Amino acid sequence: CSSDLPDRATLAIIDQDGIIRLLNTNTFKQVTSTKSIFPGYANLFFSSDNELIAVAKNDGKIVVFSATTGEVVAELKGHAQQVGQIAFSLENNQLASTCNESVMLWDLTLQDQEGSLWIHPTHKMIFSPDGRELATCSSDGSIRVWDSVVGLEKFSLPGHSETVCELAFSPDGKQLASASSKSVKLWDLATSHNQDRGEKASVLSINAGSNAIASTFAILRFVPNKNQLLAYWGGNIRRYDIGDNQ
């Protein structure tokens, strides 16, 4: 099993002995390796600043270690089966993990890690910039925004009729962009929070059109200070001017 760190300068691999080794992609020389052994199949997930790597073992256990030293930072036990997705908060003090229809939230600053369980079939998840909210999406087209401090659902965002495959928070955390195979939507979270369930409406909704490639893969990025949203979606790279919406 292997995976690139977000900066593409380092490659992480699990060798046949179960040791995770970090290699420089320019020289292919080893940078560091883990002190722990991970036999069998495991998934690797990276924090956005490249400082931490989470290993999802096939027994449901999550091991978080330093990408610099290889030392174990935390061991998280709670899932009964292998974890499908992991997300780090920007400050690396929280981690969210999914397994089947459950989402667990972990505080990495605690010596005794405890998880908060939510029942929700989750396809992807992302923390807000301040770490106080977690957005999740699923194959039924639903989006939910959670209070990541207390572990409770704040509100949902109905609107997509297909699997939501990508989410992105704006830099100030006030808006959320979502993409499915047929549409991209932009949500004002303050407005959505105040509206009643079922009446929430996106402030921007764009359909893929008949020439778009049906796909459950998309990338969404907000362009800082330019009121624009970049999307790789429907087989094309697109730039949307969101004007006064941001």
Side-chain angles (χ1 to χ4, degrees):
C1 180
S2 67
S3 184
D4 287 327
L5 282 166
D7 63 0
R8 305 299 181 185
T10 309
L11 177 70
I13 63 171
I14 302 179
D15 66 17
Q16 61 183 2
D17 297 322
I19 298 175
I20 298 178
R21 304 183 187 279
L22 303 184
L23 308 177
N24 183 291
T25 55
N26 293 318
T27 64
F28 284 97
K29 292 184 178 180
Q30 180 172 307
V31 178
T32 188
S33 64
T34 58
K35 307 300 188 293
S36 301
I37 297 177
F38 303 92
Y41 184 75
N43 289 331
L44 305 179
F45 301 88
F46 306 94
S47 62
S48 59
D49 62 1
N50 306 345
E51 292 296 323
L52 298 177
I53 300 179
V55 181
K57 300 178 64 178
N58 54 14
D59 60 0
K61 183 179 179 181
I62 302 170
V63 180
V64 182
F65 66 92
S66 167
T68 303
T69 66
E71 298 288 344
V72 173
V73 175
E75 296 187 15
L76 311 175
K77 300 178 181 179
H79 290 291
Q81 299 178 12
Q82 186 169 17
V83 169
Q85 293 287 331
I86 286 178
F88 285 93
S89 66
L90 292 182
E91 298 295 328
N92 287 343
N93 59 349
Q94 291 177 297
L95 180 147
S97 56
T98 68
C99 177
N100 295 328
E101 294 189 357
S102 68
V103 177
M104 283 191 174
L105 182 68
W106 309 89
D107 187 338
L108 296 181
T109 63
L110 299 177
Q111 293 299 317
D112 184 19
Q113 289 84 15
E114 294 181 351
S116 299
L117 180 64
W118 308 317
I119 302 301
H120 175 53
T122 300
H123 184 78
K124 185 179 178 64
M125 55 192 173
I126 184 173
F127 279 96
S128 62
D130 63 5
R132 299 185 65 84
E133 294 180 326
L134 179 75
T136 64
C137 60
S138 67
S139 57
D140 63 4
S142 65
I143 301 170
R144 288 176 169 85
V145 178
W146 307 82
D147 185 320
S148 62
V149 178
V150 299
L152 297 176
E153 181 182 336
K154 297 179 68 175
F155 52 88
S156 62
L157 302 172
H160 289 285
S161 58
E162 309 82 23
T163 298
V164 179
C165 55
E166 176 71 336
L167 297 170
F169 274 101
S170 61
D172 59 10
K174 295 181 179 180
Q175 293 185 311
L176 180 72
S178 59
S180 71
S181 61
K182 293 185 178 181
S183 63
V184 168
K185 295 182 182 295
L186 180 67
W187 308 88
D188 185 308
L189 297 183
T191 302
S192 297
H193 183 273
N194 293 329
Q195 290 176 332
D196 293 332
R197 183 181 298 273
E199 295 182 356
K200 305 173 185 69
S202 55
V203 296
L204 177 68
S205 182
I206 304 168
N207 294 323
S210 58
N211 295 327
I213 300 173
S215 174
T216 56
F217 176 77
I219 299 174
L220 297 173
R221 295 290 185 273
F222 284 87
V223 181
N225 304 319
K226 288 190 176 181
N227 290 335
Q228 291 180 330
L229 177 68
L230 288 178
Y232 174 79
W233 168 68
N236 298 295
I237 299 176
R238 309 181 185 190
R239 184 187 299 264
Y240 302 115
D241 185 357
I242 56 180
D244 295 333
N245 291 321
Q246 188 175 26

